[in-house]
Amino acid sequence: MKIVFIILFVVMSTFAQYDEPHRPQLHFSPPANWMNDPNGMVYHNGEYHLFYQYYPNDIVWGPMHWGHAVSRDLIHWKHLPIALEPDKLGYIFSGSAVVDKQNSSGFGTKNKPPLVAMFTYHLMEGEKAGRKNFQYQGIAYSTDNGRTWTKYDKNPVIPNTENLKDFRDTKVFWHEESKRWIVVLAAGDHIRLYSSSNLKTWKVESEFGKMHGSHAGVWECPDLFPLKINGKTKWVLLLSINPGGPSGGSATQYFIGDFDGKTFKNDNPSKKTLWLDYGRDNYAGVTWSNVPGGRRAFLGWMSNWDYAQKVPTSPWRSAMTLPRELSLKQTSDGIRVNQKLVKEIEILRVSEMLAAKDMIVTGSLEISKAKPSQIEMIFEVDLSKTDSKDFGIEVSNKKGETFTVGYNVGSRSFYTDRRKAGKTTFSEEFAKDMHTAPRVSRNSKLRLHLIFDNSSVELFADDGEIAMTDIFFPTEDFTGSRFFSTGGKTRISNAKAWNLRSIWH
């Protein structure tokens, strides 16, 4: 069976041209068929590994495998054969991977430490039979840089003894202070923390979340990691939820607090929910482990369960966000997660197509030579010298289809609008409303950083205080772009834009 899947994957990779309508040119997507959550993200021997939920036989969700790709720069990706396949214990749901540097598992040697993946088994036969304990945790290991994997013969390592219906999505990491492995996983309406000395035998340490954050949907895909601010270490807990996002459907909330090796304590116990992204299309995101220099690089699934299986793409479905570097920032409302594109994105810049200062926009201003697919744009607005009601960028095509990114001065909110951006009838949920995000900064200098791909936009506002990610599907490529200013003039103090080369060609 393994040989069949490898042959199938090689055939699909050969026929994937990466120039199909709506195919992302800047973002990772599989050669063909269905993809969702990023999994097993780890850096090892000069490579960033990306595993992902994958169904190799159709462009809708099915029996889950782990697809696999590697990169040396977080931007360009090499497809590899399927890493993990379903077996008698179930489908291979989401999880993580680590470098077992001290060979605590015994799967490798200290001179050649193994990669160890921890994932959720989902036994579909158990679910269909009405059982509740059809999800449990297993591990696998690799001693050849992740090219081949061996499942542990004593799986599952964390059985589902309490009949929890939702018991999944393991994120494992080494906790240096307590000198042991920690895993965090979703358990119904909360998360659980376990500890281990060898990645095989696990002990429950604590729970978190029953009275915290949003519970409008199922909790999934947790990630727990440290970040420093002002010389102090704080811990960030990412937690995806479906439904219940700020713009509808799937989204990711987060918590900031302290972790002592056993218990996570939330600094913000109020009912205010902190959202990682205010767009509709950033879900199930987690971070790479073992990244050099302590960088915390993040990647999300660029879709939404409201319509993910219906979007008009073929022969593939779904893409990932661009990698982002996470940090902490002190704001007037408290410490918040800050997001910026990884610096490696700059290697895609082909030419600078716009460089302007002190522009006054009244009504509309066309952007010279700006074909709005595969472009990066940064512009700064001086609000103290702006009297417009709202302003932003609109991209369009000859059919009159438009996608808009803007800022409403009165409501102090960013917004995206894809209601007229092309194909929308595949789902009633896709283009119901504009998507909005509240501005955090009180500074009069507003900064927007945008990345447009063939079928998506990622917005980072005010140096990463706010992020918005949205996909769209014009019936023909967008060919024009303009600055707009409504109800007065907008002073753009600085504007730059670059054409970006494809990561595939």
Side-chain angles (χ1 to χ4, degrees):
M1 184 64 72
K2 179 80 171 179
I3 294 174
V4 172
F5 278 125
I6 291 174
I7 293 173
L8 176 63
F9 197 86
V10 170
V11 170
M12 290 189 303
S13 299
T14 300
F15 284 98
Q17 298 299 311
Y18 279 82
D19 57 4
E20 304 94 344
H22 311 308
R23 172 72 85 167
Q25 296 300 304
L26 310 175
H27 297 76
F28 177 86
S29 59
N33 297 317
W34 171 265
M35 178 184 75
N36 56 289
D37 306 0
N39 293 159
M41 290 158 47
V42 60
Y43 179 86
H44 184 52
N45 287 344
E47 294 179 324
Y48 294 90
H49 289 263
L50 168 61
F51 303 88
Y52 52 90
Q53 292 286 276
Y54 186 59
Y55 182 41
N57 298 334
D58 206 340
I59 59 172
V60 294
W61 189 94
M64 285 290 97
H65 302 57
W66 270 24
H68 190 194
V70 292
S71 173
R72 291 193 173 274
D73 60 10
L74 284 170
I75 303 298
H76 299 91
W77 295 94
K78 176 184 178 181
H79 296 294
L80 294 177
I82 290 168
L84 295 173
E85 305 162 10
D87 59 39
K88 65 181 181 180
L89 292 178
Y91 299 170
I92 310 297
F93 272 24
S94 290
S96 54
V98 293
V99 182
D100 184 9
K101 296 180 181 180
Q102 298 302 315
N103 191 36
S104 64
S105 63
F107 293 140
T109 66
K110 286 189 177 182
N111 293 329
K112 192 176 183 180
L115 289 174
V116 179
M118 191 172 191
F119 54 88
T120 296
Y121 272 117
H122 181 103
L123 186 63
M124 187 57 72
E125 292 84 349
E127 181 181 11
K128 290 180 177 179
R131 290 166 44 188
K132 291 185 178 180
N133 63 341
F134 52 83
Q135 292 184 343
Y136 31 81
Q137 319 313 317
I139 59 175
Y141 63 92
S142 172
T143 57
D144 60 358
N145 292 324
R147 268 49 180 184
T148 60
W149 291 82
T150 302
K151 292 170 185 167
Y152 183 43
D153 59 8
K154 294 183 175 59
N155 280 333
V157 293
I158 303 181
N160 190 342
T161 57
E162 299 172 63
N163 292 322
L164 294 170
K165 182 180 178 182
D166 297 304
F167 186 64
R168 60 177 180 270
D169 305 340
T170 56
K171 183 59 187 284
V172 62
F173 62 94
W174 177 256
H175 186 248
E176 182 62 29
E177 289 74 15
S178 61
K179 303 295 183 184
R180 57 186 181 170
W181 297 103
I182 302 293
V183 72
V184 55
L185 61 87
D189 62 350
H190 61 284
I191 59 106
R192 275 213 189 141
L193 292 142
Y194 295 74
S195 66
S196 174
S197 62
N198 60 10
L199 292 164
K200 301 173 182 176
T201 306
W202 294 89
K203 171 189 173 185
V204 177
E205 293 291 348
S206 63
E207 297 180 350
F208 169 80
K210 290 183 178 180
M211 304 300 292
H212 297 259
S214 172
H215 287 271
V218 176
W219 278 29
E220 300 185 298
C221 304
D223 190 2
L224 181 63
F225 52 87
L227 288 174
K228 286 190 177 295
I229 180 169
N230 298 326
K232 296 182 179 179
T233 297
K234 302 300 291 184
W235 286 78
V236 177
L237 172 64
L238 303 183
L239 199 289
S240 290
I241 183 172
N242 177 54
S247 294
S250 315
T252 300
Q253 59 184 319
Y254 70 88
F255 307 89
I256 297 174
D258 296 305
F259 177 63
D260 61 3
K262 293 186 176 183
T263 303
F264 175 79
K265 293 184 179 180
N266 183 18
D267 284 352
N268 181 34
S270 71
K271 292 297 181 180
K272 179 179 175 61
T273 302
L274 305 179
W275 296 107
L276 193 71
D277 194 304
Y278 284 85
R280 279 278 248 158
D281 298 302
N282 180 3
Y283 189 62
V286 288
T287 61
W288 270 276
S289 65
N290 201 44
V291 177
R295 294 173 69 192
R296 187 55 58 172
F298 166 95
L299 195 75
W301 175 45
M302 200 161 61
S303 197
N304 190 303
W305 279 116
D306 275 353
Y307 43 75
Q309 300 190 79
K310 302 175 183 178
V311 295
T313 64
S314 181
W316 87 101
R317 279 234 172 94
S318 299
M320 297 300 182
T321 68
L322 286 171
R324 307 174 181 187
E325 186 159 353
L326 306 185
S327 61
L328 293 178
K329 185 174 183 178
Q330 183 69 52
T331 74
S332 58
D333 295 326
I335 299 173
R336 296 292 184 264
V337 170
N338 214 54
Q339 303 174 71
K340 293 182 180 180
L341 289 172
V342 295
K343 60 185 178 183
E344 288 88 343
I345 191 69
E346 295 179 6
I347 66 180
L348 296 180
R349 293 174 180 173
V350 178
S351 59
E352 187 174 72
M353 64 187 202
L354 176 66
K357 294 182 179 296
D358 295 323
M359 296 193 306
I360 302 296
V361 181
T362 303
S364 179
L365 178 64
E366 295 297 320
I367 301 174
S368 176
K369 299 179 182 178
K371 183 180 178 181
S373 58
Q374 296 174 229
I375 64 169
E376 177 185 7
M377 181 176 296
I378 300 173
F379 70 99
E380 299 170 350
V381 174
D382 187 345
L383 294 176
S384 68
K385 298 179 180 179
T386 292
D387 60 11
S388 60
K389 295 180 179 179
D390 73 39
F391 55 83
I393 291 177
E394 179 190 86
V395 297
S396 61
N397 60 23
K398 293 179 181 178
K399 290 189 175 182
E401 296 167 347
T402 59
F403 182 91
T404 306
V405 179
Y407 179 74
N408 186 288
V409 178
S411 62
R412 288 181 47 83
S413 61
F414 304 97
Y415 64 88
T416 59
D417 190 350
R418 65 183 178 193
R419 291 175 296 176
K420 298 179 181 179
K423 301 171 186 176
T424 62
T425 57
F426 57 86
S427 169
E428 294 181 357
E429 298 296 323
F430 184 74
K432 288 172 59 175
D433 305 295
M434 296 170 57
H435 307 148
T436 62
R439 190 179 188 215
V440 177
S441 176
R442 302 289 173 179
N443 197 314
S444 64
K445 307 295 184 183
L446 181 148
R447 189 174 191 266
L448 296 178
H449 187 179
L450 296 159
I451 293 280
F452 280 98
D453 203 343
N454 284 342
S455 54
S456 67
V457 67
E458 292 182 76
L459 163 66
F460 303 89
D462 288 335
D463 290 319
E465 290 184 354
I466 292 292
M468 300 182 75
T469 305
D470 281 305
I471 57 176
F472 47 78
F473 304 100
T475 56
E476 64 179 43
D477 288 347
F478 290 131
T479 54
S481 60
R482 68 183 182 97
F483 291 115
F484 68 88
S485 178
T486 304
K489 67 178 185 299
T490 298
R491 185 183 187 93
I492 299 177
S493 54
N494 190 28
K496 289 186 177 182
W498 296 267
N499 294 297
L500 303 177
R501 63 172 58 89
S502 171
I503 66 172
W504 303 114
H505 299 300

